[in-house]
Amino acid sequence: MKKILLALISTLVFACTSDEEAGKVQYLAVCSYGNGCEFSELLLDQRDVDLALGREHFWAQAGPNATLILEGCVAEVDEERTIEEIHADYGGTGDPRMVEPVDIARYISGMGCFECDTETKKLSFEISSVEVSGSAYFYINFKDKESFMPNAAYQQFYKGAEGIREIVIDQLMRNGFLEQYIIDQQGGKYMYRLPVQHDYLTPVEGEFTEGDFKKAFKKTGNKRRELDMYQEEYEGFSEEGEVLKFWLGSTPEICLAPDQFAFMGMYGIGYIKIDGVTYLLTEASIPGYRMRITKVEKGSYSFNPSGYTRLN
């Protein structure tokens, strides 16, 4: 499946490259045949427009006077007509209507233009804190609604811990439980099952809903581009009252269930959905603690949980 990366409109970046072009405004036209178009200033960098549309070297090739036209799932670059002409050609009457900047990622997602990406993701991360520091990875499986951390990753994260090398530990998170599959020094196989608790920092606590999230956390205005996605910083407070800052990267190609707010994997890392668009939690921090995603890629795993004796 073609991986579609959708970017969230964020920062004003002029698409001009010379002094003569500086200050020119490019426009986005959202059109409907028979009804004309609505126009807004195009505030997204050219490269990120292409990412949002899932098309390489499309808008990036457009000149400074071009208008980007969206009509349903069809995108067109127009370098000839004025906005008045475009509006009239789509059946509009009167003067073109100017609206607030349109979030291209949300528009494309809302139109259902792309298939949902259901491939398993491998998330590499690093954590630095007073209690534990290390780097590792785990898998998020959207089809089976589970997360898996293999022994190799567990050993990598907890390297140096006493006795860690003498045992094998695979972790599987599903149905609200964290299952640890342990093979001891004598070859005994045991499974220990615990309710999922966010022992590590996450803005999603307990029965948090989208409404709770919006009340608790606000955008700071800081934006960046990392991991091939546009990200925005949020700020609020942890359950202990400490300032909690985190970054969300727009990944609308990931489709959560209609009534699902979050899909969190190991260590409170995962995806949340706001206003119908899915975001990856790419970084979170409070004083003395910082977690960040270092890589996102396609992945796969296999694990056989049979033959283990349950301990609880």
Side-chain angles (χ1 to χ4, degrees):
M1 180 189 299
K2 179 181 178 182
K3 181 178 180 181
I4 306 298
L5 293 175
L6 301 176
L8 178 67
I9 285 183
S10 55
T11 187
L12 178 59
V13 181
F14 291 107
C16 310
T17 58
S18 69
D19 292 339
E20 182 179 352
E21 296 167 353
K24 289 186 177 180
V25 177
Q26 291 181 308
Y27 289 100
L28 168 68
V30 177
C31 302
S32 173
Y33 275 109
N35 298 308
C37 309
E38 292 184 341
F39 296 84
S40 63
E41 291 187 23
L42 186 57
L43 305 184
L44 194 62
D45 179 84
Q46 284 185 303
R47 177 176 59 172
D48 293 301
V49 170
D50 286 346
L51 288 173
L53 298 174
R55 301 176 66 174
E56 295 184 359
H57 310 299
F58 177 70
W59 183 246
Q61 304 295 321
N65 296 316
T67 298
L68 175 63
I69 301 173
L70 295 180
E71 200 277 323
C73 294
V74 178
E76 176 186 355
V77 176
D78 192 305
E79 302 199 55
E80 301 296 332
R81 293 176 292 179
T82 66
I83 61 174
E84 290 81 9
E85 291 171 332
I86 294 172
H87 179 58
D89 287 348
Y90 274 85
T93 59
D95 294 331
R97 182 187 176 202
M98 302 302 297
V99 298
E100 292 296 315
V102 174
D103 185 330
I104 296 179
R106 190 161 293 150
Y107 172 87
I108 292 293
S109 178
M111 293 296 294
C113 299
F114 303 123
E115 291 186 61
C116 295
D117 185 351
T118 58
E119 293 181 316
T120 297
K121 297 292 180 288
K122 178 183 178 182
L123 302 180
S124 299
F125 66 94
E126 61 182 24
I127 292 174
S128 58
S129 70
V130 176
E131 296 181 355
V132 61
S133 296
S135 63
Y137 59 90
F138 69 93
Y139 300 91
I140 281 190
N141 184 332
F142 295 99
K143 290 181 179 179
D144 297 332
K145 297 182 180 180
E146 66 182 26
S147 298
F148 178 69
M149 187 175 193
N151 176 66
Y154 193 91
Q155 296 283 342
Q156 177 182 325
F157 188 70
Y158 291 103
K159 63 181 179 181
E162 184 177 355
I164 192 69
R165 293 298 182 188
E166 282 72 48
I167 58 176
V168 173
I169 300 181
D170 294 290
Q171 291 193 143
L172 190 63
M173 185 180 291
R174 55 185 176 179
N175 300 322
F177 288 90
L178 175 64
E179 300 170 351
Q180 287 193 327
Y181 293 85
I182 304 167
I183 303 177
D184 64 19
Q185 292 173 299
Q186 289 73 42
K189 302 173 71 174
Y190 306 96
M191 189 269 275
Y192 198 76
R193 196 176 193 222
L194 295 169
V196 172
Q197 295 180 345
H198 296 302
D199 297 327
Y200 294 85
L201 187 62
T202 174
V204 182
E205 298 288 351
E207 298 301 320
F208 233 50
T209 66
E210 180 179 349
D212 296 328
F213 178 91
K214 289 180 177 179
K215 292 178 182 178
F217 302 106
K218 304 299 180 184
K219 295 179 181 180
T220 66
N222 293 327
K223 305 174 181 68
R224 70 186 184 190
R225 178 182 172 76
E226 290 185 3
L227 301 172
D228 276 338
M229 63 183 73
Y230 241 84
Q231 304 180 19
E232 290 191 278
E233 185 184 48
Y234 288 70
E235 183 176 288
F237 295 93
S238 69
E239 288 190 331
E240 290 71 32
E242 298 174 295
V243 175
L244 166 56
K245 294 184 178 182
F246 58 94
W247 292 81
L248 295 181
S250 176
T251 58
E253 76 279 6
I254 302 297
C255 303
L256 302 184
D259 59 347
Q260 185 179 14
F261 166 58
F263 183 2
M264 307 306 291
M266 306 292 174
Y267 305 100
I269 299 169
Y271 295 83
I272 65 175
K273 183 173 63 177
I274 305 172
D275 294 329
V277 178
T278 305
Y279 301 86
L280 174 63
L281 175 66
T282 61
E283 182 175 337
S285 63
I286 58 174
Y289 180 101
R290 180 175 181 247
M291 177 286 297
R292 73 182 189 94
I293 300 292
T294 57
K295 191 173 185 179
V296 181
E297 56 191 320
K298 297 178 183 178
S300 63
Y301 63 90
S302 61
F303 177 69
N304 184 0
S306 64
Y308 288 80
T309 300
R310 184 170 170 176
L311 296 178
N312 67 334

